[in-house]
Amino acid sequence: MSENVITPEGAETIVAEAVVAEAVVAEAAAARTYAIAADVNVRSGPGTSYSKVGRLSAGTRVTIQCQKPGETVTGPTGTSKLWDRIGSGRYVSDTYVRTGSNGYVAPRC
């Protein structure tokens, strides 16, 4: 015997609003900014052998687009091989960014 399921009027709207709310929360988390712990060179890739493409001063806030492993670096927040992409072709060692974590805080590149 099959049952007929009756959905309340407007249920589709509620589901759609919940999906939009989840997307907004995910976008807000992705747009979180982090402070630079000390003056740091910005590199074109995840290592000090990559060319210098800029410099950030301590206290500057950055948005981490994604993270990837690279050269191991010791910086003000510890030692790590994790590098943060802060723009197209712009990377800083995660050891110079105050993320509050020793691991990934953004998607992997």
Side-chain angles (χ1 to χ4, degrees):
M1 181 148 87
S2 67
E3 291 184 37
N4 289 331
V5 178
I6 300 173
T7 57
E9 194 171 312
E12 294 84 7
T13 301
I14 293 169
V15 170
E17 288 173 355
V19 170
V20 169
E22 279 183 34
V24 168
V25 168
E27 186 176 333
R32 184 171 178 195
T33 63
Y34 302 92
I36 297 295
D39 293 358
V40 63
N41 291 325
V42 179
R43 302 284 180 170
S44 64
T48 59
S49 62
Y50 287 87
S51 62
K52 181 180 164 185
V53 295
R55 186 156 176 84
L56 294 172
S57 299
T60 301
R61 297 197 68 85
V62 296
T63 300
I64 300 173
Q65 295 177 340
C66 61
Q67 296 173 293
K68 71 186 305 180
E71 177 185 349
T72 299
V73 171
T74 298
T77 67
T79 300
S80 177
K81 66 178 183 176
L82 200 56
W83 284 73
D84 305 334
R85 190 175 83 190
I86 59 169
S88 180
R90 296 175 53 84
Y91 291 83
V92 293
S93 168
D94 191 61
T95 63
Y96 281 83
V97 184
R98 294 200 186 280
T99 63
S101 171
N102 291 330
Y104 288 88
V105 296
R108 292 187 170 135
C109 298

Coordinates of all heavy atoms in Angstrom, one line a residue:
M1 N 0.8 -1.2 0.0 CA 0.0 0.0 0.0 C 0.9 1.2 0.0 O 1.8 1.3 0.8 CB -0.9 0.0 1.2 CG -1.8 1.1 1.3 SD -3.3 0.7 2.1 CE -3.2 0.9 3.7
S2 N 0.6 2.1 -0.9 CA 1.5 3.3 -1.0 C 0.8 4.5 -0.3 O -0.4 4.5 -0.2 CB 1.8 3.7 -2.5 OG 0.6 4.1 -3.1
E3 N 1.6 5.4 0.2 CA 1.1 6.5 0.9 C 1.2 7.7 0.0 O 2.2 7.9 -0.7 CB 1.9 6.8 2.2 CG 1.6 5.7 3.2 CD 2.4 6.1 4.5 OE1 2.4 7.3 4.9 OE2 2.9 5.1 5.2
N4 N 0.3 8.6 0.1 CA 0.4 9.9 -0.6 C 1.0 10.9 0.4 O 0.5 11.0 1.5 CB -1.0 10.4 -1.0 CG -1.5 9.6 -2.2 OD1 -0.8 9.0 -3.0 ND2 -2.9 9.5 -2.3
V5 N 2.1 11.5 -0.1 CA 2.7 12.5 0.8 C 2.3 13.9 0.3 O 2.4 14.2 -0.8 CB 4.3 12.4 0.7 CG1 4.9 13.5 1.5 CG2 4.7 11.0 1.1
I6 N 1.7 14.6 1.2 CA 1.3 16.0 0.9 C 2.2 16.9 1.5 O 2.5 16.9 2.7 CB -0.2 16.2 1.5 CG1 -1.1 15.2 0.9 CG2 -0.6 17.6 1.2 CD1 -2.5 15.2 1.5
T7 N 2.8 17.8 0.7 CA 3.7 18.8 1.2 C 3.0 20.1 1.4 O 2.1 20.4 0.7 CB 4.9 19.0 0.2 OG1 4.3 19.4 -1.0 CG2 5.7 17.8 0.0
P8 N 3.3 20.8 2.5 CA 2.6 22.0 2.8 C 2.9 23.0 1.7 O 3.9 23.0 1.0 CB 3.3 22.5 4.1 CG 4.2 21.5 4.5 CD 4.3 20.5 3.4
E9 N 1.9 23.9 1.5 CA 2.0 24.9 0.4 C 3.2 25.8 0.8 O 3.5 26.2 1.9 CB 0.7 25.8 0.4 CG 0.6 26.6 -0.8 CD -0.8 27.3 -0.9 OE1 -1.7 26.6 -0.7 OE2 -0.8 28.5 -1.1
G10 N 4.1 26.1 -0.2 CA 5.2 26.9 0.0 C 6.5 26.1 0.4 O 7.5 26.7 0.7
A11 N 6.4 24.8 0.5 CA 7.5 24.0 1.0 C 8.7 24.2 0.0 O 9.9 24.2 0.5 CB 7.2 22.5 1.1
E12 N 8.5 24.3 -1.3 CA 9.5 24.5 -2.2 C 10.3 25.8 -2.0 O 11.5 25.9 -2.0 CB 9.0 24.5 -3.7 CG 8.4 23.1 -4.1 CD 7.0 22.9 -3.7 OE1 6.3 23.9 -3.2 OE2 6.5 21.8 -3.9
T13 N 9.6 26.8 -1.6 CA 10.2 28.1 -1.3 C 11.1 28.0 0.0 O 12.2 28.5 0.0 CB 9.1 29.2 -1.0 OG1 8.3 29.3 -2.2 CG2 9.7 30.5 -0.7
I14 N 10.6 27.3 1.0 CA 11.4 27.1 2.2 C 12.7 26.4 1.9 O 13.7 26.7 2.4 CB 10.5 26.4 3.3 CG1 9.4 27.3 3.7 CG2 11.4 26.0 4.5 CD1 8.4 26.6 4.6
V15 N 12.6 25.3 1.1 CA 13.8 24.6 0.7 C 14.7 25.4 -0.1 O 15.9 25.5 0.2 CB 13.4 23.3 -0.1 CG1 14.6 22.6 -0.7 CG2 12.7 22.3 0.8
A16 N 14.2 26.2 -1.0 CA 15.1 27.1 -1.8 C 15.7 28.1 -0.9 O 16.9 28.4 -1.1 CB 14.3 27.8 -2.9
E17 N 15.0 28.7 0.0 CA 15.6 29.7 0.9 C 16.7 29.1 1.8 O 17.7 29.7 2.1 CB 14.5 30.3 1.8 CG 13.6 31.2 1.1 CD 12.4 31.7 1.9 OE1 12.2 31.3 3.0 OE2 11.7 32.6 1.4
A18 N 16.5 27.8 2.2 CA 17.5 27.1 3.0 C 18.8 26.9 2.2 O 19.9 27.1 2.7 CB 17.0 25.8 3.5
V19 N 18.7 26.6 0.9 CA 19.8 26.4 0.1 C 20.6 27.7 -0.1 O 21.8 27.7 0.0 CB 19.4 25.8 -1.3 CG1 20.5 25.8 -2.3 CG2 18.9 24.4 -1.1
V20 N 19.8 28.8 -0.3 CA 20.5 30.1 -0.5 C 21.2 30.5 0.8 O 22.3 31.0 0.8 CB 19.4 31.2 -0.9 CG1 20.0 32.6 -0.7 CG2 18.9 30.9 -2.3
A21 N 20.6 30.2 2.0 CA 21.2 30.5 3.3 C 22.5 29.8 3.4 O 23.5 30.3 3.9 CB 20.2 30.2 4.4
E22 N 22.5 28.5 3.1 CA 23.7 27.7 3.2 C 24.8 28.3 2.3 O 26.0 28.4 2.7 CB 23.5 26.3 2.7 CG 22.9 25.4 3.8 CD 22.7 24.0 3.4 OE1 23.6 23.5 2.6 OE2 21.7 23.3 3.8
A23 N 24.5 28.7 1.1 CA 25.4 29.3 0.2 C 26.0 30.6 0.7 O 27.2 30.9 0.6 CB 24.8 29.6 -1.2
V24 N 25.2 31.4 1.4 CA 25.6 32.7 2.0 C 26.6 32.4 3.1 O 27.6 33.1 3.2 CB 24.4 33.5 2.4 CG1 24.9 34.7 3.3 CG2 23.6 34.0 1.2
V25 N 26.3 31.4 3.9 CA 27.2 31.1 5.0 C 28.5 30.6 4.5 O 29.6 31.0 5.0 CB 26.5 30.0 5.9 CG1 27.5 29.4 6.9 CG2 25.4 30.6 6.7
A26 N 28.5 29.7 3.5 CA 29.7 29.2 2.9 C 30.5 30.3 2.3 O 31.8 30.4 2.4 CB 29.4 28.2 1.8
E27 N 29.9 31.3 1.6 CA 30.6 32.4 1.0 C 31.2 33.3 2.1 O 32.3 33.8 1.9 CB 29.6 33.2 0.1 CG 30.3 34.3 -0.6 CD 29.3 35.1 -1.6 OE1 28.3 34.4 -2.0 OE2 29.6 36.2 -1.8
A28 N 30.5 33.5 3.1 CA 31.0 34.3 4.2 C 32.2 33.7 4.8 O 33.2 34.4 5.2 CB 29.9 34.6 5.3
A29 N 32.2 32.4 5.0 CA 33.4 31.7 5.6 C 34.5 31.8 4.6 O 35.7 32.0 5.0 CB 33.0 30.2 5.8
A30 N 34.3 31.7 3.3 CA 35.3 31.7 2.3 C 35.9 33.1 2.2 O 37.1 33.3 1.9 CB 34.8 31.3 1.0
A31 N 35.1 34.1 2.6 CA 35.6 35.5 2.5 C 36.3 36.0 3.8 O 36.6 37.2 3.9 CB 34.4 36.4 2.1
R32 N 36.5 35.2 4.7 CA 37.1 35.6 6.0 C 38.5 36.1 5.7 O 39.2 35.5 4.9 CB 37.1 34.4 6.9 CG 37.7 34.7 8.3 CD 37.5 33.6 9.2 NE 38.1 34.0 10.5 CZ 38.4 33.2 11.5 NH1 38.1 31.9 11.4 NH2 38.9 33.6 12.6
T33 N 38.9 37.1 6.5 CA 40.2 37.7 6.3 C 41.1 37.3 7.5 O 40.6 37.1 8.6 CB 40.2 39.2 6.1 OG1 39.7 39.8 7.3 CG2 39.4 39.6 4.9
Y34 N 42.4 37.3 7.3 CA 43.3 36.9 8.3 C 44.5 38.0 8.4 O 44.8 38.5 7.3 CB 43.9 35.5 8.1 CG 42.9 34.4 8.0 CD1 42.3 34.1 6.8 CD2 42.5 33.8 9.1 CE1 41.4 33.1 6.7 CE2 41.5 32.8 9.1 CZ 41.0 32.4 7.9 OH 40.0 31.5 7.8
A35 N 45.0 38.2 9.5 CA 46.1 39.2 9.7 C 47.4 38.6 9.4 O 47.7 37.4 9.8 CB 46.1 39.7 11.1
I36 N 48.3 39.3 8.7 CA 49.7 39.0 8.5 C 50.4 39.2 9.8 O 50.3 40.2 10.4 CB 50.3 39.8 7.4 CG1 49.6 39.5 6.0 CG2 51.8 39.6 7.2 CD1 49.7 38.1 5.5
A37 N 51.2 38.2 10.3 CA 51.9 38.2 11.6 C 53.1 39.1 11.6 O 53.5 39.6 12.6 CB 52.2 36.8 12.0
A38 N 53.8 39.1 10.5 CA 55.1 39.9 10.3 C 55.3 40.2 8.9 O 54.7 39.6 8.0 CB 56.3 39.1 10.9
D39 N 56.1 41.2 8.6 CA 56.3 41.6 7.2 C 56.7 40.3 6.4 O 57.5 39.5 6.9 CB 57.4 42.6 7.1 CG 57.0 44.0 7.7 OD1 55.9 44.1 8.1 OD2 57.9 44.9 7.7
V40 N 56.2 40.2 5.2 CA 56.4 38.9 4.5 C 56.5 39.2 3.0 O 55.7 40.1 2.5 CB 55.4 37.9 4.8 CG1 54.0 38.3 4.4 CG2 55.7 36.5 4.2
N41 N 57.3 38.5 2.2 CA 57.3 38.6 0.8 C 56.2 37.8 0.2 O 55.9 36.7 0.7 CB 58.6 38.1 0.2 CG 59.8 39.0 0.5 OD1 59.7 40.2 0.6 ND2 61.0 38.4 0.8
V42 N 55.6 38.3 -0.8 CA 54.5 37.5 -1.6 C 55.2 36.9 -2.8 O 56.0 37.6 -3.5 CB 53.4 38.5 -2.0 CG1 52.4 37.7 -2.8 CG2 52.8 39.2 -0.8
R43 N 55.0 35.6 -3.0 CA 55.7 34.9 -4.0 C 54.7 34.5 -5.1 O 53.5 34.4 -4.9 CB 56.4 33.6 -3.4 CG 57.4 33.9 -2.3 CD 58.6 34.5 -2.9 NE 59.6 34.8 -1.9 CZ 60.9 35.0 -2.1 NH1 61.3 35.1 -3.4 NH2 61.7 35.3 -1.2
S44 N 55.3 34.2 -6.3 CA 54.4 33.7 -7.4 C 54.0 32.3 -7.3 O 53.2 31.8 -8.0 CB 55.2 33.9 -8.7 OG 56.3 33.1 -8.8
G45 N 54.6 31.5 -6.4 CA 54.2 30.1 -6.1 C 54.5 29.8 -4.7 O 55.0 30.6 -3.9
P46 N 54.3 28.5 -4.3 CA 54.4 28.1 -2.9 C 55.8 27.7 -2.5 O 56.1 26.6 -2.1 CB 53.5 26.8 -2.9 CG 53.6 26.3 -4.2 CD 53.7 27.5 -5.2
G47 N 56.7 28.7 -2.5 CA 58.1 28.5 -2.1 C 59.0 29.7 -2.3 O 58.6 30.6 -3.1
T48 N 60.1 29.8 -1.5 CA 60.9 31.0 -1.6 C 61.7 31.0 -2.9 O 62.3 32.0 -3.2 CB 61.9 31.0 -0.4 OG1 62.7 29.8 -0.4 CG2 61.1 31.2 0.9
S49 N 61.8 29.9 -3.6 CA 62.5 29.9 -4.9 C 61.6 30.6 -6.0 O 62.1 30.9 -7.1 CB 62.9 28.5 -5.4 OG 61.7 27.7 -5.5
Y50 N 60.3 30.8 -5.8 CA 59.5 31.5 -6.7 C 59.8 33.0 -6.7 O 60.2 33.5 -5.6 CB 58.0 31.2 -6.4 CG 57.6 29.8 -6.8 CD1 57.7 28.8 -5.8 CD2 57.0 29.5 -8.0 CE1 57.3 27.5 -6.2 CE2 56.6 28.2 -8.3 CZ 56.8 27.2 -7.4 OH 56.4 25.9 -7.7
S51 N 59.5 33.7 -7.7 CA 59.8 35.1 -7.8 C 59.0 35.9 -6.8 O 57.8 35.5 -6.5 CB 59.6 35.6 -9.2 OG 58.3 35.5 -9.6
K52 N 59.6 37.0 -6.3 CA 58.9 37.9 -5.3 C 58.0 38.8 -6.2 O 58.4 39.4 -7.1 CB 59.9 38.7 -4.6 CG 59.4 39.6 -3.6 CD 60.5 40.4 -2.9 CE 60.0 41.6 -2.2 NZ 61.0 42.4 -1.6
V53 N 56.7 38.8 -5.8 CA 55.8 39.6 -6.6 C 55.1 40.8 -5.7 O 54.3 41.5 -6.2 CB 54.6 38.8 -7.2 CG1 55.2 37.8 -8.3 CG2 53.8 38.0 -6.2
G54 N 55.6 40.9 -4.5 CA 55.1 41.9 -3.6 C 55.6 41.7 -2.2 O 56.3 40.8 -1.9
R55 N 55.1 42.5 -1.3 CA 55.4 42.5 0.1 C 54.2 42.9 0.9 O 53.6 43.9 0.5 CB 56.7 43.3 0.4 CG 57.2 43.2 1.8 CD 58.7 43.6 1.9 NE 59.1 43.5 3.2 CZ 59.6 42.4 3.8 NH1 59.6 41.3 3.2 NH2 60.0 42.5 5.1
L56 N 54.0 42.3 2.0 CA 52.9 42.7 2.9 C 53.4 43.0 4.3 O 54.4 42.4 4.8 CB 51.9 41.5 3.1 CG 51.1 41.1 1.8 CD1 50.3 39.9 2.1 CD2 50.2 42.2 1.4
S57 N 52.9 44.1 4.9 CA 53.3 44.5 6.2 C 52.5 43.8 7.3 O 51.3 43.4 7.0 CB 53.1 46.0 6.3 OG 53.8 46.7 5.4
A58 N 53.1 43.6 8.4 CA 52.4 43.0 9.6 C 51.1 43.8 9.8 O 51.1 45.0 9.7 CB 53.3 43.1 10.8
G59 N 50.1 43.0 10.1 CA 48.8 43.6 10.4 C 47.9 43.7 9.2 O 46.7 43.9 9.3
T60 N 48.4 43.6 8.0 CA 47.6 43.6 6.7 C 46.7 42.4 6.8 O 47.1 41.4 7.2 CB 48.5 43.5 5.5 OG1 49.4 44.6 5.5 CG2 47.7 43.5 4.2
R61 N 45.5 42.6 6.4 CA 44.5 41.5 6.3 C 44.4 41.0 4.9 O 44.3 41.7 4.0 CB 43.2 42.0 6.9 CG 43.3 42.4 8.4 CD 42.0 42.5 9.1 NE 41.3 41.2 9.3 CZ 41.6 40.4 10.3 NH1 42.5 40.7 11.2 NH2 40.9 39.2 10.4
V62 N 44.4 39.6 4.8 CA 44.3 39.0 3.5 C 43.2 37.9 3.5 O 42.8 37.4 4.6 CB 45.6 38.3 3.2 CG1 46.7 39.2 3.0 CG2 46.0 37.2 4.2
T63 N 42.6 37.7 2.3 CA 41.6 36.6 2.2 C 42.4 35.4 1.5 O 43.1 35.6 0.5 CB 40.5 37.1 1.2 OG1 39.9 38.2 1.8 CG2 39.5 36.0 1.0
I64 N 42.3 34.3 2.1 CA 42.9 33.1 1.6 C 41.9 32.4 0.6 O 40.9 32.0 1.0 CB 43.3 32.1 2.7 CG1 44.3 32.8 3.7 CG2 43.9 30.8 2.1 CD1 44.6 32.0 4.9
Q65 N 42.3 32.4 -0.7 CA 41.5 31.8 -1.7 C 41.5 30.3 -1.6 O 40.5 29.6 -1.8 CB 41.9 32.3 -3.1 CG 41.7 33.7 -3.3 CD 42.1 34.2 -4.6 OE1 42.9 33.5 -5.3 NE2 41.7 35.4 -5.0
C66 N 42.7 29.7 -1.4 CA 42.9 28.3 -1.3 C 44.3 28.1 -0.7 O 45.1 29.0 -0.6 CB 42.8 27.6 -2.6 SG 43.9 28.1 -3.9
Q67 N 44.6 26.9 -0.4 CA 45.9 26.5 0.2 C 46.5 25.3 -0.4 O 45.8 24.4 -0.9 CB 45.8 26.3 1.7 CG 45.3 27.5 2.5 CD 45.0 27.2 4.0 OE1 44.1 26.5 4.3 NE2 45.8 27.7 4.9
K68 N 47.8 25.2 -0.4 CA 48.5 24.0 -1.0 C 49.8 23.8 -0.4 O 50.4 24.8 0.2 CB 48.7 24.2 -2.5 CG 49.7 25.2 -3.0 CD 49.7 25.5 -4.5 CE 49.9 24.2 -5.3 NZ 49.9 24.4 -6.7
P69 N 50.3 22.6 -0.4 CA 51.6 22.3 0.2 C 52.7 22.8 -0.7 O 52.6 22.9 -1.9 CB 51.7 20.8 0.3 CG 50.7 20.3 -0.6 CD 49.6 21.4 -0.8
G70 N 53.8 23.2 -0.1 CA 55.0 23.7 -0.9 C 56.2 23.6 0.0 O 56.3 22.7 0.8
E71 N 57.2 24.5 -0.2 CA 58.4 24.5 0.6 C 58.1 24.7 2.1 O 57.2 25.5 2.5 CB 59.3 25.6 0.1 CG 60.6 25.8 0.9 CD 61.4 27.0 0.5 OE1 61.0 27.6 -0.6 OE2 62.3 27.4 1.2
T72 N 58.8 23.9 3.0 CA 58.6 24.1 4.4 C 59.3 25.4 4.8 O 60.5 25.7 4.5 CB 59.2 22.9 5.2 OG1 58.5 21.7 4.8 CG2 59.1 23.1 6.7
V73 N 58.6 26.2 5.6 CA 59.1 27.5 6.1 C 58.9 27.6 7.6 O 57.8 27.1 8.1 CB 58.4 28.6 5.3 CG1 58.7 30.0 5.9 CG2 58.7 28.6 3.9
T74 N 59.8 28.2 8.3 CA 59.6 28.6 9.7 C 59.4 30.1 9.7 O 60.1 30.9 9.2 CB 60.8 28.2 10.5 OG1 61.0 26.8 10.5 CG2 60.7 28.6 12.0
G75 N 58.3 30.4 10.4 CA 57.9 31.9 10.5 C 57.4 32.2 11.9 O 57.5 31.3 12.8
P76 N 56.8 33.3 12.1 CA 56.3 33.7 13.4 C 55.3 32.8 14.1 O 55.2 32.9 15.3 CB 55.8 35.1 13.2 CG 55.8 35.4 11.7 CD 56.5 34.3 11.1
T77 N 54.5 32.1 13.3 CA 53.5 31.2 13.9 C 53.9 29.7 13.9 O 53.1 28.9 14.3 CB 52.2 31.4 13.2 OG1 52.3 30.8 11.8 CG2 51.7 32.8 13.1
G78 N 55.2 29.4 13.5 CA 55.6 28.0 13.6 C 56.3 27.6 12.3 O 56.8 28.4 11.5
T79 N 56.3 26.3 12.1 CA 56.9 25.7 10.9 C 55.8 24.9 10.1 O 55.1 24.2 10.7 CB 58.1 24.8 11.2 OG1 59.0 25.5 12.0 CG2 58.7 24.1 10.0
S80 N 55.8 25.2 8.8 CA 54.7 24.5 8.0 C 55.2 24.5 6.5 O 56.0 25.3 6.1 CB 53.4 25.3 8.1 OG 52.4 24.7 7.3
K81 N 54.6 23.5 5.8 CA 54.8 23.5 4.3 C 53.6 24.0 3.6 O 53.5 24.0 2.4 CB 55.1 22.1 3.9 CG 54.0 21.1 4.1 CD 54.4 19.7 3.5 CE 53.2 18.7 3.7 NZ 53.5 17.4 3.1
L82 N 52.6 24.5 4.4 CA 51.4 25.0 3.8 C 51.5 26.5 3.3 O 52.1 27.3 4.0 CB 50.3 25.0 4.9 CG 48.8 25.1 4.5 CD1 48.5 23.9 3.5 CD2 47.9 25.0 5.7
W83 N 51.1 26.7 2.1 CA 51.1 28.1 1.5 C 49.7 28.5 1.2 O 48.9 27.7 0.8 CB 52.0 28.1 0.3 CG 53.4 28.0 0.6 CD1 54.1 26.9 1.1 CD2 54.4 29.1 0.5 NE1 55.4 27.3 1.3 CE2 55.6 28.6 0.9 CE3 54.3 30.4 0.1 CZ2 56.8 29.3 1.0 CZ3 55.4 31.2 0.1 CH2 56.6 30.7 0.6
D84 N 49.5 29.8 1.4 CA 48.1 30.4 1.2 C 48.1 31.2 -0.1 O 49.0 32.1 -0.3 CB 47.8 31.3 2.3 CG 47.8 30.6 3.7 OD1 47.7 29.4 3.7 OD2 48.1 31.3 4.7
R85 N 47.2 30.9 -1.0 CA 47.0 31.7 -2.2 C 46.1 32.9 -1.9 O 45.0 32.7 -1.5 CB 46.5 31.0 -3.4 CG 46.6 31.8 -4.7 CD 46.2 31.0 -5.9 NE 44.7 31.1 -6.0 CZ 43.9 30.4 -6.8 NH1 44.5 29.5 -7.6 NH2 42.6 30.5 -6.8
I86 N 46.6 34.1 -2.0 CA 45.9 35.3 -1.6 C 45.4 36.1 -2.9 O 44.8 37.1 -2.8 CB 46.6 36.2 -0.7 CG1 48.0 36.6 -1.3 CG2 46.9 35.5 0.7 CD1 48.7 37.7 -0.5
G87 N 45.7 35.6 -4.0 CA 45.4 36.2 -5.3 C 46.0 35.3 -6.4 O 46.8 34.4 -6.2
S88 N 45.6 35.6 -7.6 CA 46.2 34.9 -8.8 C 47.7 35.1 -8.8 O 48.2 36.2 -8.9 CB 45.5 35.4 -10.1 OG 46.1 34.7 -11.2
G89 N 48.4 34.0 -8.7 CA 49.9 34.0 -8.7 C 50.5 34.8 -7.5 O 51.6 35.3 -7.6
R90 N 49.8 34.8 -6.4 CA 50.2 35.4 -5.2 C 50.1 34.5 -4.0 O 49.0 34.2 -3.6 CB 49.4 36.7 -4.9 CG 49.6 37.8 -6.0 CD 48.7 39.0 -5.9 NE 48.8 39.6 -4.6 CZ 49.7 40.5 -4.2 NH1 50.6 40.9 -5.1 NH2 49.7 41.0 -3.0
Y91 N 51.3 34.1 -3.4 CA 51.3 33.1 -2.3 C 52.1 33.7 -1.2 O 53.1 34.3 -1.4 CB 51.9 31.8 -2.8 CG 51.1 31.0 -3.7 CD1 51.1 31.3 -5.1 CD2 50.3 30.0 -3.3 CE1 50.4 30.5 -6.0 CE2 49.5 29.2 -4.1 CZ 49.6 29.5 -5.5 OH 48.8 28.8 -6.4
V92 N 51.7 33.3 0.1 CA 52.5 33.6 1.3 C 52.5 32.3 2.1 O 51.5 31.6 2.1 CB 52.0 34.8 2.1 CG1 52.1 36.1 1.4 CG2 50.5 34.6 2.5
S93 N 53.6 32.1 2.8 CA 53.7 31.0 3.7 C 52.6 31.1 4.8 O 52.5 32.2 5.4 CB 55.1 30.9 4.3 OG 55.1 30.0 5.4
D94 N 51.9 30.1 5.1 CA 50.9 30.1 6.1 C 51.5 30.4 7.5 O 50.8 30.9 8.4 CB 50.2 28.7 6.2 CG 49.0 28.7 7.1 OD1 48.0 29.5 6.7 OD2 48.9 28.0 8.1
T95 N 52.8 30.3 7.7 CA 53.5 30.6 9.0 C 53.5 32.1 9.2 O 53.9 32.5 10.3 CB 54.9 30.0 9.0 OG1 55.7 30.6 8.0 CG2 54.9 28.5 8.9
Y96 N 53.1 32.9 8.2 CA 53.1 34.4 8.4 C 51.7 34.9 8.4 O 51.4 36.1 8.5 CB 53.8 35.0 7.2 CG 55.3 35.0 7.4 CD1 56.1 33.9 7.0 CD2 56.0 36.1 7.9 CE1 57.4 33.9 7.2 CE2 57.4 36.0 8.1 CZ 58.1 34.9 7.8 OH 59.4 34.9 7.9
V97 N 50.7 34.0 8.5 CA 49.3 34.4 8.5 C 48.6 33.8 9.8 O 48.8 32.6 10.1 CB 48.5 33.8 7.2 CG1 47.1 34.3 7.2 CG2 49.2 34.2 6.0
R98 N 48.0 34.7 10.5 CA 47.4 34.3 11.8 C 46.0 33.7 11.5 O 45.0 34.4 11.6 CB 47.3 35.5 12.7 CG 48.6 36.0 13.2 CD 48.5 36.8 14.5 NE 49.8 37.4 14.8 CZ 50.7 36.8 15.4 NH1 50.6 35.5 15.8 NH2 51.9 37.4 15.7
T99 N 46.0 32.4 11.2 CA 44.7 31.7 10.9 C 44.1 31.0 12.1 O 43.0 30.7 12.1 CB 44.9 30.6 9.8 OG1 45.8 29.6 10.4 CG2 45.5 31.2 8.5
G100 N 44.9 30.9 13.2 CA 44.4 30.2 14.4 C 44.4 28.7 14.2 O 43.9 28.0 15.0
S101 N 45.1 28.2 13.2 CA 45.1 26.7 12.9 C 46.5 26.4 12.3 O 47.1 27.2 11.6 CB 44.0 26.4 11.9 OG 44.1 25.1 11.5
N102 N 46.9 25.1 12.6 CA 48.1 24.6 11.9 C 47.7 23.8 10.6 O 48.6 23.3 10.0 CB 48.8 23.6 12.9 CG 49.4 24.4 14.0 OD1 49.8 25.6 13.9 ND2 49.5 23.8 15.2
G103 N 46.5 23.8 10.3 CA 46.0 23.0 9.1 C 45.3 23.9 8.2 O 45.4 25.1 8.2
Y104 N 44.5 23.3 7.3 CA 43.8 24.0 6.3 C 42.6 24.7 6.8 O 41.9 24.2 7.7 CB 43.3 23.0 5.2 CG 44.3 22.4 4.3 CD1 45.1 21.3 4.7 CD2 44.6 23.0 3.1 CE1 46.1 20.8 3.9 CE2 45.6 22.5 2.3 CZ 46.3 21.4 2.7 OH 47.3 20.9 1.8
V105 N 42.5 26.0 6.4 CA 41.3 26.8 6.8 C 40.6 27.3 5.5 O 39.6 28.0 5.6 CB 41.7 28.0 7.6 CG1 42.3 27.6 8.9 CG2 42.7 28.9 6.8
A106 N 41.0 26.8 4.4 CA 40.4 27.2 3.1 C 40.5 25.9 2.2 O 41.3 25.0 2.5 CB 41.2 28.3 2.4
P107 N 39.8 25.9 1.1 CA 39.9 24.8 0.1 C 41.4 24.6 -0.4 O 42.1 25.5 -0.4 CB 39.0 25.2 -1.0 CG 38.2 26.3 -0.5 CD 38.9 27.0 0.5
R108 N 41.7 23.4 -0.8 CA 43.0 23.1 -1.4 C 43.0 23.6 -2.8 O 42.0 23.5 -3.5 CB 43.3 21.6 -1.3 CG 43.4 21.1 0.1 CD 43.9 19.7 0.2 NE 44.2 19.5 1.6 CZ 43.9 18.4 2.3 NH1 43.2 17.5 1.8 NH2 44.3 18.3 3.6
C109 N 44.2 24.1 -3.2 CA 44.3 24.6 -4.5 C 44.6 23.4 -5.5 O 45.2 22.5 -5.1 CB 45.5 25.5 -4.7 SG 45.4 27.0 -3.6

